[in-house]
Amino acid sequence: GTLVIACWCQREETPDKPFTDREREELQFLYDEWAHPYFISIQEFERLMKVGMAGTGKMEGIVGEDWTPQTLPS
């Protein structure tokens, strides 16, 4: 079977590309105004799924995809 998870994510923050002050302000606005849980990146979701399912035999071939372009019109 296939499991699809759709959610709001933030971009991946790395030491080479940390969040700008503006990005931090925009995320904080979303957290404050809409009571969102904290966002994580698509890459972090993929890592969590791989680690969480490792050795269970329950899920294989876990991949993450960015569908931002397809969802922008909505």
Side-chain angles (χ1 to χ4, degrees):
T2 300
L3 171 66
V4 176
I5 299 173
C7 64
W8 285 28
C9 293
Q10 67 187 30
R11 72 167 175 80
E12 181 87 332
E13 182 180 29
T14 65
D16 295 335
K17 192 168 181 189
F19 289 131
T20 65
D21 289 341
R22 181 175 177 168
E23 288 173 322
R24 290 184 189 284
E25 288 171 11
E26 289 173 348
L27 284 169
Q28 193 61 52
F29 173 80
L30 292 173
Y31 300 142
D32 294 343
E33 288 294 314
W34 293 356
H36 279 287
Y38 286 98
F39 300 115
I40 62 174
S41 68
I42 294 165
Q43 296 85 350
E44 184 64 10
F45 264 115
E46 189 174 354
R47 284 190 291 271
L48 288 171
M49 292 295 290
K50 286 178 179 177
V51 169
M53 294 291 125
T56 67
K58 302 293 181 186
M59 297 177 99
E60 297 177 2
I62 295 170
V63 295
E65 295 182 12
D66 184 353
W67 286 24
T68 302
Q70 295 90 329
T71 60
L72 284 177
S74 65

